[in-house]
Every structure is written in C-alpha cells, then in structure tokens.
Amino acid sequence: MAVGTITPGVGSLPATPSAIKQTVASAYVDLRDSGWAQQYLPDLMDKEAEVFGNRTISGFLAQVGAEEAMAADQVVWSEQGRLHVSAAGVIAAATGIVTSNGHGVRKHDTVVLNRAGVGTLKCLVTASDANTFTVLPYTQAAMNTGSGTTFTNGAVTGFVFGSEHKKGTGVHEKALEPSFASLENKPVIIKDLYEVSGSDASAIGWIEVSGEEGQNGYMWYLKANGDTMARFTDYCEMTCIEGELTAAGAGTATPLGAISGTQGLFSAIETRGNVMTGGYGSPADALGSMDLLLKRFDSQGAIEENMMFLNRTYSLAIDDMLAGLAPNIGVGYGLFDNSADMALNLGFTGFRRGTYDFYKSDWKYLNDATLRGAFTDVNGVVVPAGTSNVYDQGLGKNMKRPFLHVRYRASQTESRKMKTWITGSVGAATSQLDAMEVNYLSERCLVTQCANNFFSMT
C-alpha cells in the first residue's frame, strides 16, 4: 500500500497574526463589501471557529524544571569533574612516550592503554611531566616489540587503574586536585506590546471569540489582548529553549546595544551534551539507537529515569519499535486492558530498556507547523528526571536542584518574572495617548545542569 501525500488547500487560514495595529480586511469579518452589498443579508454565524485547538506551546519547562528568583546579572554554578583519570594523546611506540597536554597521569601509576586497531596493554608509568608521560608494558619488553600486542606510532587513549611502588620508597610524587567546571548564563529581557485605540476599544464586534487565556466575548480587542498574552508566554519559554549566547565578532554584538544573548536548552545540549543523528527510520534502527543511547548513559551519570519529548515521527518510530518486539517477548498493545468494547491502544507512554526507564511524551513545540514542526533538525530531546547536587556560588553551599530550572530577576520590591502594565487614556487615564497600551516584560534565563546527561535527536 502506497503512503499518501497531504497538500494544504489554497484557502488555508493564515498561520501568523498581523502586526498591523489598525483594523484590516485580513483580520476582521468585513460585511460591508462582502455582505451588505448583496441582495440578501448573509446568514452570519456569530461564533469564531477554533480550527487550531489550543495553540499555546508553553508548559515543557513546567513539567521538567522549576523556577527560582535571582538578583544578579548572571547565574554562576559549578559542576564536578570526573572522578577517575583518563588521557588521550599520541604515542611514540619505540620509546613509550605519550604526548598528552595536561594529562594528570603520575609516575608509578598503572594504566590501561589502547591503540585503535591494534589492541590494549597494561603499563607502568616510569616518568611524567606536564605534557608527556612514559610507559612500559607489564607483559612484553617494549610497546612496539613482543609476542603479544605490538603498538605502532599514533593516537592512544587510556586510564589509570592504580599504582605500584617498590618497598621502602616515599609517597606519590604529587597530589591530584579535584576538577570542576564553572558555568554561567545570563538572563535576557523579553518584551511585547498590545495596543488598541480609544475608538476601537468602544466598538462591539460581531463575532463571539474565545482564547487560550480564557478571554470570551464579542469585543475584538479582548481576543487580541489575550492572544498577545498567550504568545508572550510562549516567547518566554521558547527563549529558554532556543536562546544563543552572542559569540565574539557576531553580527548581534553591536547593532542593538549590549546584546549578550542567553544559552537555551538546545544550545546547552549541543555544546555540553549529546547529539544523536538519525537512527529512527525503522523499528530495528530505533532499537539499535536506543542501545547506543544506553551505552552513552553508562559512560555519563547513569541516571535511571529519563523523559523523552518527541515529535510525531520519532514518537511513532518508538511505538513501532516496541510493537515489533511483541511477538518475541509475548507483549501486545494494551494486552491486559483491551476488550471488544474499547478502542485498541496502539501507543506506549513508557518502557524499560537495560537498567533505564523512559517516559515518552509528544512535544507540541516540535509538531507545531509554525514553529519547529516545519524543521527536521531537532526531532526530540531526552531529559533526566530528578535533581542534581551542585555548588551554588551565589549561596556558597551545595544545593539540590532540578536539572532544568528557570532563573528570573526579582528583589524584595521588584519581580520581573512576568510583568504587565497598562498605559494610555482608556480606563484609568495615565497619559495623553488616545489608546490603551498593554506592556509585557520578563527577564529570565535557563540553567541546564549536568548537560552531559541530556540528548538531542536530530
């Protein structure tokens, strides 16, 4: 059976709101040109049809994160480094000298070295300085001679598994300092504006409207105001998801003043996390990709519970993967709940693979045709559940916080989490402007902790 194609009709509704402030034909029902000029009065349906359903996309961060006030221009936190010492460098096999800048390997350490395509040797470190260390193998005369593994010149990786000293010798030649990463992010100021003239504010519209923010009635400006508020709330969340820090020499560095940007979720995952490309074209591919994901989890924090927020394509691919396992492991769709009187459940909301639990959810942001639904560069994210232990430099102590949390500017007298204020002459007059202006403002940023445990699916 061939898979069909879908093409939007020529008369599809516009997907973006008009930025024009005054009444325009594209935004309002015009009965003068298309209605009153006709021989008979049109049959007017007095309720707006909600063809797109709930259009707001915010809510992702509310599910997986938290919000917390801050009073500074930036938030700084520290993340611990790895416990064990590993190194990568280039070996001169004849001498056993490994060049690896800032390696942390010490004299008398015992190491496991691997040369890709050759094999693995366990070695003793006989000398060490800032950028090199020298090794001798336990099981053969030299790194490049012997009946076992013969190393050649080239790239090697390795790790320390202990140390060995002769009797009566002194202490280790130097101590190791714990490593950590100091990270920071900056809040950005997000603004929006809704305006309606005094004359239009007194006009009664013909269409009954309703919106995501609960606005209902016949006055068109109430609908527009509610839509502006809903759109601004989405902008606050999308800024925390899509934000980018301004790079040195970037085009955004000077034209609008001191624009520093902010690091959003996608940017944090790309720079400090994991990006998985492809691998969900078939159930077999999806299963193989999941196993690669588990291996990567094992090398990172090994956090047992994880949330998967996916677009429709990847969500169905995982459903198909799980369904494909049914004949082999004796599991069916809703095996114990299905009956003749109910709809067949063809979807899964969670599963366990290896030692990890995954909870799957569709992410509206990745499906919306006017947002990420039009692109294919991000198909889903995997976010660890629970909290992490980090050192907060502002508070000077260790804190348990969700892996994702939003910081917003606030003090005892001012909160910039979500501000609105009204100016103009409509209602309570505050200026000579014959209009009502509703101003929206927020100052916030996203803190992505332990990004090495996050995945982006592209």
Side-chain angles (χ1 to χ4, degrees):
M1 182 179 68
V3 178
T5 58
I6 299 176
T7 303
V10 177
S12 296
L13 290 176
T16 56
S18 171
I20 301 175
K21 297 178 181 179
Q22 66 270 20
T23 303
V24 292
S26 61
Y28 300 97
V29 177
D30 185 1
L31 295 178
R32 292 174 298 174
D33 296 331
S34 59
W36 304 119
Q38 305 299 320
Q39 182 177 2
Y40 301 104
L41 187 67
D43 184 8
L44 179 63
M45 299 179 67
D46 61 353
K47 186 172 179 62
E48 180 185 59
E50 299 180 46
V51 298
F52 294 116
N54 187 342
R55 296 164 297 162
T56 56
I57 59 93
S58 61
F60 165 74
L61 293 178
Q63 294 183 54
V64 298
E67 294 182 328
E68 188 173 332
M70 60 181 290
D73 286 332
Q74 63 179 355
V75 54
V76 181
W77 72 98
S78 302
E79 296 182 1
Q80 65 181 185
R82 290 187 178 273
L83 179 63
H84 299 288
V85 177
S86 61
V90 176
I91 190 171
T95 60
I97 297 176
V98 179
T99 301
S100 176
N101 295 336
H103 51 78
V105 178
R106 300 169 292 177
K107 184 179 179 180
H108 296 292
D109 280 347
T110 51
V111 298
V112 178
L113 283 187
N114 178 266
R115 175 85 168 92
V118 176
T120 299
L121 280 175
K122 296 180 176 68
C123 308
L124 176 70
V125 178
T126 60
S128 176
D129 58 33
N131 298 316
T132 65
F133 60 92
T134 304
V135 295
L136 286 176
Y138 273 93
T139 56
Q140 56 194 51
M143 300 298 293
N144 65 340
T145 59
S147 58
T149 303
T150 303
F151 268 40
T152 55
N153 296 341
V156 292
T157 58
F159 63 90
V160 176
F161 68 90
S163 64
E164 185 173 356
H165 300 260
K166 293 181 180 179
K167 290 182 179 180
T169 58
V171 298
H172 229 346
E173 62 177 2
K174 60 181 179 179
L176 287 178
E177 291 291 333
S179 63
F180 71 95
S182 181
L183 304 170
E184 65 180 50
N185 204 1
K186 299 179 180 180
V188 292
I189 300 173
I190 313 163
K191 295 181 180 180
D192 209 338
L193 172 70
Y194 169 72
E195 180 180 293
V196 57
S197 70
S199 297
D200 289 334
S202 63
I204 301 297
W206 288 95
I207 307 292
E208 182 183 0
V209 298
S210 61
E212 286 81 5
E213 297 302 311
Q215 66 275 20
N216 295 281
Y218 292 88
M219 302 174 71
W220 66 265
Y221 74 90
L222 290 178
K223 165 70 172 177
N225 184 26
D227 283 353
T228 302
M229 180 64 182
R231 186 167 55 250
F232 181 72
T233 302
D234 285 350
Y235 285 165
C236 290
E237 176 149 317
M238 287 190 287
T239 297
C240 291
I241 293 171
E242 299 281 1
E244 287 283 354
L245 290 169
T246 301
T252 54
T254 56
L256 298 177
I259 299 297
S260 61
T262 187
Q263 187 177 56
L265 175 63
F266 291 161
S267 177
I269 296 177
E270 289 172 3
T271 56
R272 297 185 282 123
N274 309 279
V275 178
M276 175 176 284
T277 303
Y280 285 84
S282 69
D285 292 340
L287 184 60
S289 297
M290 286 302 305
D291 290 345
L292 288 176
L293 193 102
L294 301 189
K295 293 177 181 178
R296 185 63 178 172
F297 273 136
D298 290 340
S299 68
Q300 303 301 311
I303 298 171
E304 184 177 0
E305 294 187 336
N306 297 271
M307 299 291 298
M308 305 182 75
F309 295 90
L310 309 171
N311 66 5
R312 179 59 61 200
T313 300
Y314 272 46
S315 180
L316 292 177
I318 290 180
D319 282 346
D320 293 342
M321 173 196 76
L322 297 173
L325 298 174
N328 300 321
I329 60 177
V331 177
Y333 289 111
L335 181 64
F336 301 105
D337 296 325
N338 286 328
S339 68
D341 298 326
M342 68 171 289
L344 184 64
N345 183 7
L346 296 178
F348 295 88
T349 58
F351 60 96
R352 184 176 179 86
R353 178 74 172 169
T355 58
Y356 298 97
D357 291 318
F358 295 93
Y359 305 98
K360 181 170 68 72
S361 176
D362 292 336
W363 192 3
K364 188 175 182 179
Y365 179 53
L366 299 182
N367 291 322
D368 193 304
T370 61
L371 300 172
R372 279 282 177 175
F375 308 142
T376 57
D377 57 328
V378 178
N379 296 293
V381 294
V382 180
V383 179
T387 61
S388 63
N389 234 336
V390 297
Y391 180 77
D392 189 298
Q393 296 188 6
L395 298 176
K397 60 181 179 180
N398 284 325
M399 301 289 292
K400 278 189 175 292
R401 288 202 175 94
F403 292 100
L404 287 178
H405 65 276
V406 175
R407 289 290 191 98
Y408 59 89
R409 291 289 291 269
S411 66
Q412 294 180 346
T413 59
E414 171 77 359
S415 175
R416 296 167 70 83
K417 178 181 178 181
M418 182 70 72
K419 281 189 70 173
T420 61
W421 67 95
I422 299 175
T423 59
S425 63
V426 178
T430 59
S431 71
Q432 296 179 346
L433 179 67
D434 184 19
M436 178 181 69
E437 290 185 336
V438 183
N439 299 271
Y440 301 93
L441 181 145
S442 180
E443 188 170 359
R444 60 178 63 203
C445 67
L446 180 69
V447 174
T448 306
Q449 294 174 176
C450 307
N452 59 302
N453 294 288
F454 287 69
F455 282 78
S456 174
M457 299 177 176
T458 62

